[in-house]
Structure formats: structure tokens, C-alpha cells
């Protein structure tokens, strides 16, 4: 993965979409690092453009066999609990490298796809989110070539990018990853149901209560 100014080294690098899903490539500089408040604002803007929940699908990328890479499946589980119908990628049925192509092909072109994945980055960026109005390329930090996915994308920085990225993902804090998954799920719920008090639908895992 290239390094450069700012946090360019923690970007899941974007490429032109290869499928027929009309996923638009956006310049990598449009992707930005943000905190939980910025994440909520990002999702609220998506909800304004796509207000019908039934038109939105979530692609929660990752695996249940790696602590850091479980961010996507953990988020998928919480979204399912909240009642979202179109969630691809859960702890029971992860959307990992072996299934990603199959899942992408199953997505319907009329749905707006929000891709959610974990990534590695600078120490000061751990716990932050990279958001973009465009697709992400999963597993780029691991040197894996997978198709870019999503009309919108969220990448959670779960650990420090170093010479052993697999080890960094495996040693990521489970508590932090669970908190980040809950933050993403809460922000999605609030974006499409702004009239509901935030405290009435806070997503948590046992032992992973939000602070």
C-alpha cells in the first residue's frame, strides 16, 4: 500500500467498478477520515438522497475468524437485529474473500449499496472511520485484489498498518471493534429514523456497552 501525505496510507484504494452495477468511481481525495459525529452526518446525507429503507442494501465485508476483520460481520448482525432486510455479511454467514464475488453478483441494481469494511492505518487514526461517496476495494492492505464494491463506503480503522497486516488484524482490540460496529449500526438506524430518540435504539453486544 502506498504512503503519502495525510492518511493516504490507510485508504482502501478505489478503482473503477468492474461489474455492471453502475458503481461510480470517485477520486480518492474525496474519501475522508472522520469521527463518530462525522459518520452520523455522512449517513444522514445518504438517507436524504435515498429515504426509503427498502431501497438500501448493506454489504458488510469481513470474517468471523479475525478480530479486526470482524467489524463488517459484527455490524451486519446488529443491522439484522434492528430489522434491516437487505444485509449481506453476518457472523453466521460472513461476506469474506471467498464469497464476495457471489454476493456482489446477487445484489439488485436498483438498490443503493453501502459497503462496510475494516482497514488498518496510522496509530493516531485507530478508531476513526474513512467514508466516501464511492466504492472501496476490500483487503488492499493485505495485498489481495478484490472487486471494488458499494455506491457508498465506510471503512473502520481497527489497527495499525505495519509489516505484518494479518497479525495487526488478529491483535486488534475486540472491545474497540465491537464499539465501532455498534457506532456504525446506531448511526445507520438514526439516519433513517431521525424522529426516534437516539437512546431508544442503541446497538450493543453483551460486554461491549458503548461509553
Amino acid at each position: 500500500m502506498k504512503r503519502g501525505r495525510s492518511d493516504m496510507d490507510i485508504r482502501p484504494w478505489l478503482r473503477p467498478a468492474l461489474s455492471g452495477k453502475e458503481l461510480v468511481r470517485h477520486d480518492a481525495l474525496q474519501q475522508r477520515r472522520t469521527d463518530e459525529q462525522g459518520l452520523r452526518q455522512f449517513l444522514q446525507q445518504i438517507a436524504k438522497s435515498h429515504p426509503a429503507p427498502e431501497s438500501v442494501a448493506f454489504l458488510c465485508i469481513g470474517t468471523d475468524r479475525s478480530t479486526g476483520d470482524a467489524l463488517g460481520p459484527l455490524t451486519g448482525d446488529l443491522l439484522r437485529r434492528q430489522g434491516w432486510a437487505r444485509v449481506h455479511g453476518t457472523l453466521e454467514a460472513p461476506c469474506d474473500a471467498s464469497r464476495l464475488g457471489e454476493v456482489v453478483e446477487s445484489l439488485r441494481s436498483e438498490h443503493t449499496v453501502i459497503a462496510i469494511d475494516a482497514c488498518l492505518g496510522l496509530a493516531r487514526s485507530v478508531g476513526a472511520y474513512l467514508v466516501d461517496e464511492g466504492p472501496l476495494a476490500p483487503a488492499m492492505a493485505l495485498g489481495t485484489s478484490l472487486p471494488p464494491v458499494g455506491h457508498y463506503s465506510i471503512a473502520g480503522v481497527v489497527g495499525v498498518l505495519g509489516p505484518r497486516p494479518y497479525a495487526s488484524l488478529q491483535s486488534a482490540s475486540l472491545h474497540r471493534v465491537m464499539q465501532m460496529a455498534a457506532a456504525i449500526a446506531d448511526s445507520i438506524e438514526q439516519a433513517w429514523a431521525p424522529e426516534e430518540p437516539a437512546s431508544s435504539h442503541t446497538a450493543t453486544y453483551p460486554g461491549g456497552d458503548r461509553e
Side-chain angles (χ1 to χ4, degrees):
M1 181 176 287
K2 292 184 179 180
R3 293 180 180 273
R5 293 180 301 171
S6 184
D7 285 297
M8 295 295 284
D9 59 331
I10 62 177
R11 301 184 188 282
W13 291 96
L14 307 178
R15 297 177 296 162
L18 303 179
S19 71
K21 301 297 181 182
E22 299 181 351
L23 305 185
V24 180
R25 182 196 186 279
H26 288 247
D27 191 286
L29 293 178
Q30 291 186 9
Q31 191 181 50
R32 63 184 185 273
R33 182 184 64 186
T34 190
D35 56 12
E36 189 173 332
Q37 180 178 354
L39 174 66
R40 288 195 297 269
Q41 294 171 348
F42 172 71
L43 286 160
Q44 287 166 1
Q45 289 301 314
I46 299 175
K48 287 181 181 179
S49 299
H50 308 279
E54 61 272 14
S55 71
V56 180
F58 298 95
L59 187 59
C60 302
I61 304 164
T63 177
D64 63 338
R65 300 188 180 189
S66 170
T67 304
D69 209 21
L71 176 67
L74 285 167
T75 305
D77 268 14
L78 291 173
L79 293 175
R80 283 281 181 86
R81 292 183 192 179
Q82 290 174 352
W84 290 91
R86 296 178 176 85
V87 178
H88 306 273
T90 62
L91 291 174
E92 182 180 6
C95 182
D96 55 19
S98 66
R99 295 189 62 242
L100 183 61
E102 172 190 346
V103 173
V104 169
E105 286 302 315
S106 72
L107 296 174
R108 299 178 62 176
S109 59
E110 65 267 26
H111 292 154
T112 298
V113 179
I114 301 176
I116 301 168
D117 198 6
C119 69
L120 300 173
L122 303 175
R124 68 172 182 266
S125 300
V126 174
Y129 306 90
L130 303 180
V131 298
D132 185 40
E133 296 179 358
L136 61 78
M140 291 297 285
L142 303 179
T144 303
S145 179
L146 294 173
V149 291
H151 297 96
Y152 300 90
S153 57
I154 301 169
V157 188
V158 299
V160 177
L161 177 64
R164 300 174 60 197
Y166 282 103
S168 294
L169 284 174
Q170 291 284 4
S171 61
S173 165
L174 177 60
H175 180 67
R176 178 184 292 116
V177 172
M178 292 170 69
Q179 284 189 315
M180 294 177 71
I184 295 171
D186 281 349
S187 297
I188 290 170
E189 179 81 349
Q190 292 168 26
W192 272 269
E195 73 282 357
E196 295 288 338
S199 60
S200 69
H201 49 260
T202 300
T204 59
Y205 280 101
D209 293 344
R210 304 271 307 286
E211 294 178 356

